[in-house]
Amino acid sequence: MPTHTMRAVRFHEHGGPEVLRYDEVPMPDPGPGEVLVRVHAAGVNPPDWYVRGGMTTMPGEPEATVRLPMIPGTDVSGVVEAVAADVDGLAVGDEVFGLLRFPGFDGGAYAEYVVAPASDLARKPVGVDHVHAAGAPMAGLTAWQFLIDVGHDHPSPFQEARHRPTALDAGTTVLVNGAAGGVGHFALQLAKWKGAHVIAVASGAHESFLRELGADEFIDYTKTRPEDLVHDLDLVLDTVGGPGSRRFLRTLKRGGSLFPVFYADFDEEEVAKLGVTVSIAQVRSNGAQLAELGRLLDAGTVRVAIDGTFPLADARAAHERAARGHIQGKIVLTVA
């Protein structure tokens, strides 16, 4: 068995990237239904910097779940080191990746070892290295649950109805706003996999990247407002979301849908008058869906773009990079 301590990134107080510390901490033990994973890479995601910055209650949860000091991170790729007695289907030495315990802040992935629910994990695609695999879980599952299959019955905390994806095929036109980011670049590729015509919106620096991923049309939002250029869309997936999302309502045909990844209030009368749907999903851990996504990654149908990698000890620099924005794909921490 490994030694009983490990290195992990923690914060002892909320604040900017500078509060992240590289600490020696006790090694976790897997409980029922769990495995211990030797981490090779951990993905960096918005909830990591939200919780570091002071968000302690997950939307939809009744109370704060954050206890300081804490190890952030939910996206992991690594090798199974130990398996609880009740776990079937995973063995020591298996290469796995997963989104851990989400929605929630107790993933603990910024570490040399992490305990993971076996049901949150899938086998890492053989043809994909740990860095790229660690970039896939949260962003890939968000795109999957918005566009392909929710895979659970939990409504988003922001709406009463369960999210229902739009059927995507060769007759569907989809606009992805923020197409170069983590969720956006997966959404673009999944919509293309289903045969849809995809319009990608991003800044001009990302045009060649997005056309390589299969974008049929590209709009540079720094030069033109997409809502002035396009109309009669079946679906807009807005990975930027928030109050600015309303401008996309008028780009939809009657019966079309707007899926804002970050929700804001919409004028219900305007939505009804236009005859469109606004819907949101809250991403949840799902090893079975990740296995399906893994098959597309293995086949090269979908690929993970990496904006940059940082050693685990340099998590602060990774968060500083995230704060600068205009990320192309994913930021990943590597563990030696």
Side-chain angles (χ1 to χ4, degrees):
M1 283 297 289
T3 52
H4 295 293
T5 63
M6 64 174 185
R7 301 304 295 253
V9 170
R10 298 194 296 183
F11 55 90
H12 298 248
E13 59 188 352
H14 296 286
E18 70 283 353
V19 301
L20 296 174
R21 299 198 346 209
Y22 191 50
D23 291 342
E24 189 158 321
V25 302
M27 175 90 73
D29 289 315
E34 294 179 332
V35 302
L36 181 68
V37 176
R38 166 85 170 89
V39 179
H40 283 257
V44 175
N45 290 293
D48 306 353
W49 59 83
Y50 298 159
V51 68
R52 185 210 73 219
M55 180 179 179
T56 57
T57 305
M58 186 63 59
E61 298 301 317
E63 58 193 36
T65 54
V66 173
R67 306 274 178 276
L68 297 179
M70 79 165 286
I71 303 171
T74 56
D75 273 5
V76 67
S77 183
V79 179
V80 175
E81 186 91 15
V83 180
D86 62 342
V87 170
D88 292 324
L90 285 176
V92 172
D94 286 347
E95 297 192 317
V96 292
F97 70 134
L99 167 64
L100 306 187
R101 300 183 192 87
F102 201 85
F105 290 124
D106 51 350
Y110 287 19
E112 291 178 326
Y113 294 86
V114 68
V115 161
S119 60
D120 290 355
L121 298 174
R123 287 176 190 277
K124 182 184 75 63
V126 176
V128 176
D129 63 24
H130 286 293
V131 165
H132 288 78
M138 177 172 280
L141 284 175
T142 300
W144 190 275
Q145 290 173 17
F146 265 95
L147 294 182
I148 309 297
D149 176 32
V150 180
H152 57 76
D153 289 321
H154 301 269
S156 157
F158 302 104
Q159 71 185 30
E160 289 178 15
R162 182 173 177 261
H163 175 73
R164 281 186 171 64
T166 299
L168 299 175
D169 56 34
T172 319
T173 301
V174 178
L175 181 144
V176 179
N177 188 41
V183 175
H185 89 290
F186 282 113
L188 161 58
Q189 294 177 84
L190 290 174
K192 288 305 299 174
W193 170 56
K194 288 293 188 183
H197 181 90
V198 180
I199 303 165
V201 179
S203 67
H206 299 302
E207 179 171 5
S208 61
F209 165 66
L210 293 168
R211 290 199 182 272
E212 275 173 40
L213 292 184
D216 297 289
E217 299 177 51
F218 175 82
I219 298 173
D220 179 350
Y221 73 85
T222 68
K223 295 182 175 164
T224 339
R225 296 191 308 193
E227 65 272 26
D228 294 341
L229 282 187
V230 293
H231 48 84
D232 289 330
L233 301 175
D234 296 288
L235 175 64
V236 172
L237 179 77
D238 181 8
T239 73
V240 181
S245 220
R246 292 179 199 141
R247 65 202 171 102
F248 288 110
L249 289 172
R250 298 182 178 282
T251 67
L252 296 165
K253 62 169 64 159
R254 288 191 81 77
S257 298
L258 170 60
F259 297 166
V261 173
F262 298 96
Y263 201 69
D265 287 329
F266 288 83
D267 180 339
E268 288 181 21
E269 280 183 28
E270 182 187 18
V271 172
K273 192 172 78 185
L274 292 168
V276 298
T277 301
V278 177
S279 181
I280 189 167
Q282 183 180 45
V283 65
R284 300 184 88 86
S285 300
N286 190 315
Q289 287 181 332
L290 205 53
E292 290 187 67
L293 182 61
R295 285 190 278 278
L296 296 179
L297 294 171
D298 233 354
T301 308
V302 172
R303 65 185 178 91
V304 185
I306 300 298
D307 182 271
T309 61
F310 296 82
L312 180 64
D314 290 343
R316 171 182 177 168
H319 278 227
E320 288 169 347
R321 165 67 195 101
R324 290 197 298 275
H326 298 284
I327 299 163
Q328 186 168 285
K330 296 293 302 176
I331 298 166
V332 174
L333 300 172
T334 57
V335 186

